[in-house]
Amino acid sequence: MAGTLTRLFLAYFVIATLGSKFFRLYPKIIYHLAVVGLLIYGITLIPGIGDFLLNSISPIFVSPFDESGQFYKAHRTMLVYNLEHVESLRNSGPFWEPGAYAIFLIFAQILRYDGRNFFDKQGIILFVSVITTFSTSGYIGEFLFLIMILLNKRSLLSKIAIPVLLVAGFFIYSEVDFLERKIEQNIIVADYNTSSRFGSAVADFYDFIESPIIGYGRGEQRYAGRKYVSFSAEFHRNNGLSDLFVTYG
C-alpha cells in the first residue's frame, strides 16, 4: 500500500509543482543525459575501456542496498550511465536497460516536437541515442513517430516519403537480423515464456480479463493469484503498459 501511494503521490506532486513546465524541462533533462550517454557509449567502444569501467569504476558506485540472490540485482553503473549492457555494445543511458532508455528518449522527442525541429541539434542527439540502444521496441516506436510526423504534414514531399519510409522499414526489418529474429521468437515463445515484452503483454491480457475493474494490486496475489516470488526469469513480466492494467485494473 505504501509503495502504491508513493508512486501515485509522486506523479501528482510532479504535475502540481511543475505544471506546464514539465513539457519543457523533461526533454531538456533527457537531452543532457543523452549527450553524456553518447560520450560514454563512444568511449566504451574503444577496446579495453568497457572492461576498465566495469571492473574498476563501477565498484565505486555499488548500491549499499544490493543483496545477493535477489531477483532484481543492482546494475553496474556510474550513476549517469548504466554499464550493465556495455559488453553487448548497447546504450542504456542512465536507465536500467536499453529498451527503457529508448522509450524515455522517444517521449522527449514527442514532447519537444513543434513541427519543424526533429532534425535540429537536440533532435539528432535524441535520434542517434535511440539508434544506439538497439532496442526492438525502441525502433518500432521511433518508426511510428516518424510516420505520424509525415502524416501530419501537408507537403507533397512528405506524402511521397511515407511509402518510401514503409518500404525502408520493411527492408530494415528483413535485413537486420536482431529485429526479425527477435520479434518472431517472441511470438513463438509467448505461451510459455513471458520474459519478452510481447510475451508479457499476452500473459497480462489473460490476467486482466479475469479482474478488469480492480486488478490484483502489488501484493503477493498479483498476476492472477500466482505468487510473484515464485516467478523465474522466464516468467518475469516486463511490459509496463499492460502491467498497469493488471495491477490497477
Side-chain angles (χ1 to χ4, degrees):
M1 179 67 74
T4 299
L5 291 177
T6 298
R7 287 170 173 82
L8 296 176
F9 277 116
L10 174 61
Y12 170 77
F13 285 126
V14 167
I15 295 170
T17 303
L18 295 179
S20 60
K21 293 180 181 178
F22 175 82
F23 299 101
R24 175 175 56 85
L25 293 176
Y26 175 85
K28 185 176 181 180
I29 291 171
I30 295 296
Y31 165 71
H32 287 295
L33 290 174
V35 171
V36 173
L38 284 177
L39 289 174
I40 298 176
Y41 175 75
I43 292 173
T44 62
L45 298 179
I46 302 174
I49 298 297
D51 290 337
F52 170 75
L53 294 177
L54 282 171
N55 300 321
S56 301
I57 302 299
S58 66
I60 300 173
F61 301 97
V62 171
S63 169
F65 306 105
D66 184 25
E67 297 181 22
S68 60
Q70 296 295 311
F71 186 86
Y72 290 107
K73 294 180 174 61
H75 284 190
R76 293 170 291 182
T77 177
M78 295 169 55
L79 298 186
V80 294
Y81 191 82
N82 182 359
L83 296 164
E84 194 67 26
H85 297 274
V86 162
E87 294 166 332
S88 60
L89 303 181
R90 301 180 66 191
N91 184 1
S92 297
F95 298 98
W96 60 95
E97 63 154 342
Y101 184 35
I103 302 305
F104 282 100
L105 289 165
I106 293 171
F107 279 144
Q109 288 178 313
I110 293 172
L111 292 180
R112 69 179 295 275
Y113 182 67
D114 63 5
R116 302 179 303 276
N117 61 348
F118 184 83
F119 281 117
D120 61 4
K121 181 183 72 172
Q122 291 189 17
I124 292 173
I125 292 293
L126 294 174
F127 179 78
V128 172
S129 296
V130 173
I131 299 302
T132 58
T133 64
F134 293 99
S135 164
T136 303
S137 58
Y139 283 13
I140 293 173
E142 189 73 15
F143 179 78
L144 293 176
F145 180 47
L146 288 172
I147 290 294
M148 291 301 298
I149 289 175
L150 293 174
L151 286 174
N152 281 280
K153 289 186 176 294
R154 298 181 179 181
S155 66
L156 177 61
L157 182 61
S158 65
K159 303 307 178 186
I160 296 175
I162 292 176
V164 173
L165 186 60
L166 289 172
V167 172
F170 178 78
F171 176 79
I172 292 172
Y173 169 79
S174 301
E175 295 299 321
V176 178
D177 186 51
F178 86 89
L179 283 175
E180 182 177 21
R181 178 165 49 84
K182 184 175 180 181
I183 291 174
E184 291 180 352
Q185 182 67 16
N186 286 348
I187 295 173
I188 292 171
V189 304
D191 290 336
Y192 56 87
N193 186 323
T194 61
S195 59
S196 72
R197 285 190 173 83
F198 184 86
S200 291
V202 173
D204 287 341
F205 171 76
Y206 288 116
D207 287 348
F208 169 74
I209 60 178
E210 293 184 24
S211 181
I213 305 300
I214 62 173
Y216 291 95
R218 297 184 55 84
E220 289 187 351
Q221 297 303 311
R222 67 191 300 187
Y223 301 140
R226 295 181 294 277
K227 285 189 176 182
Y228 177 73
V229 292
S230 66
F231 272 38
S232 66
E234 288 74 22
F235 292 98
H236 175 52
R237 305 290 180 88
N238 59 13
N239 189 311
L241 181 61
S242 59
D243 184 65
L244 284 175
F245 287 99
V246 174
T247 303
Y248 300 109

